Amino acid sequence: MQVGRRGMLACGAGLALGTVQRTARAQTGSFPMRTVRVIVSAGAGSGPDTAMRLLADRLSTIWGQPVVVDNRGGGSGNIGAQAAARSERDGHVLLFSQASPLVLNAHLMRAMPFDPARDLTPVTLAMTTPFVLAARPGLGVRTLPELAARARESREGLTFATGGATSLPRFAGEQLARGLGIRLTNVPYGVSPQALQDTVAGRTDLVIDGTPLITPQLRAGLLTPVAITSAARFPGLEEVPTAAETLPAFEMGGWFALLGPGGMPPALAERIAADAARALAAPELRDRLLRELGAVVSADGPAALATMMERERATLGRLVRELEVPIE
């Protein structure tokens, strides 16, 4: 029996479609087939480590497989990210990372051991951690417009303390100053607690950092809140205005995201993102993340994470150049 050209093409197309369908099922339906290892680009006991361990417990239940955390701190987060980038693309090795190695480090280092845009696949944004800008009480400002007015009338200029010259809070503070049309001088410290203490003591005018560090000082009346960098008012700090209320669309903070090696099949990334969103939807998990890390769940999926990372790379790259931050 002979088969015509159209029949042969139809047969070939059917075989190809069957192969694609079987591949898609292998990529998603049978995942995971064994233990899933999540590389955390920070040390044990850190914020990313705590967050991922809470998430891992939920994912293990959903997947019916162990989900283990593999801490790979060091190198400003690059060591863990590079290890994940070199892994197999079948979803059994993932990366849980803070923002810096994904959107900032490439602007601060002459040679990166990997390309975040090429060598990693965005899976989902997991949670965000906004920054609070607070003032020493004697400064007499409670809002960004008041801060702008105070900065313009100050002969000496105003200072803002951060945990480091290349920290995300520093760049958030610089972006706020640009938006307000004022100049603030950054005073970088080696660690965030020292920046906080010196502002409480009046040695610096302002401090900007995460909510877990600053909130106790606000509650004690040792600092005055000026603005928070989240898009909406923050749970537990509803009295603090957002920067966006003065500077429309302003949003800039820390965040944690789940990624896979570059070239991960899109269907697999979507599957993992959906399962992560399901895990993060648990009210008790959301409460613990907010209470312990000052983090708000934001499971947005691959496309939204990719867009956000691209936008933040551009913003931070511009700030690094304008501020002439030394490149290592």
Side-chain angles (χ1 to χ4, degrees):
M1 175 179 164
Q2 291 185 333
V3 180
R5 178 175 175 79
R6 290 185 180 179
M8 293 177 65
L9 290 173
C11 182
L15 289 171
L17 178 59
T19 299
V20 170
Q21 290 174 335
R22 287 192 298 274
T23 300
R25 284 195 297 270
Q27 291 170 353
T28 59
S30 59
F31 171 84
M33 296 180 286
R34 58 183 183 277
T35 296
V36 175
R37 179 166 60 96
V38 183
I39 296 173
V40 175
S41 56
S46 63
D49 174 69
T50 299
M52 188 59 232
R53 289 182 188 277
L54 293 172
L55 178 56
D57 288 342
R58 293 276 171 184
L59 287 174
S60 180
T61 300
I62 292 171
W63 288 338
Q65 294 283 358
V67 178
V68 300
V69 171
D70 179 2
N71 295 101
R72 301 284 187 96
S76 298
N78 283 352
I79 292 175
Q82 182 183 15
R86 292 178 174 177
S87 301
E88 292 296 324
R89 304 169 183 175
D90 60 5
H92 290 86
V93 177
L94 300 170
L95 171 70
F96 191 73
S97 177
Q98 64 271 50
S100 293
L102 305 177
V103 298
L104 178 59
N105 290 356
H107 300 301
L108 301 174
M109 300 179 178
R110 298 185 190 281
M112 281 281 286
F114 70 102
D115 182 339
R118 181 195 63 209
D119 299 333
L120 293 169
T121 297
V123 173
T124 188
L125 177 67
M127 55 204 75
T128 59
T129 55
F131 303 135
V132 177
L133 178 69
R136 57 179 176 83
L139 192 61
V141 300
R142 292 182 174 275
T143 66
L144 287 179
E146 290 178 2
L147 172 62
R150 180 75 173 80
R152 292 188 182 104
E153 69 185 21
S154 173
R155 291 185 177 182
E156 301 82 10
L158 300 182
T159 58
F160 75 102
T162 62
T166 59
S167 65
L168 283 173
R170 187 265 171 102
F171 292 113
E174 298 285 4
Q175 188 77 335
L176 280 171
R178 279 161 169 69
L180 294 170
I182 60 175
R183 184 174 181 274
L184 299 175
T185 300
N186 179 232
V187 181
Y189 291 79
V191 291
S192 294
Q194 187 61 52
L196 185 73
Q197 291 168 16
D198 272 18
T199 306
V200 169
R203 286 186 280 273
T204 51
D205 297 307
L206 303 145
V207 62
I208 182 168
D209 214 293
T211 58
L213 186 71
I214 291 184
T215 298
Q217 313 303 319
L218 302 180
R219 296 284 179 254
L222 299 175
L223 290 173
T224 302
V226 177
I228 192 164
T229 64
S230 51
R233 295 216 176 191
F234 195 72
L237 290 175
E238 289 87 356
E239 74 280 8
V240 182
T242 67
E245 291 171 35
T246 300
L247 304 171
F250 187 99
E251 183 181 8
M252 191 174 184
W255 44 267
F256 304 146
L258 196 64
L259 304 96
M264 175 184 283
L268 180 56
E270 291 283 359
R271 158 72 191 279
I272 295 172
D275 289 341
R278 181 180 163 194
L280 290 164
E284 59 270 29
L285 177 57
R286 289 171 174 259
D287 289 345
R288 284 196 65 181
L289 290 170
L290 179 62
R291 185 173 63 254
E292 296 179 19
L293 300 177
V296 174
V297 168
S298 181
D300 291 338
L305 175 57
T307 298
M308 186 193 75
M309 288 170 59
E310 183 178 356
R311 180 179 67 248
E312 292 209 358
R313 285 189 193 110
T315 298
L316 291 167
R318 175 178 55 78
L319 283 171
V320 168
R321 291 189 298 272
E322 290 178 355
L323 296 168
E324 299 181 345
V325 179
I327 307 301
E328 297 179 0

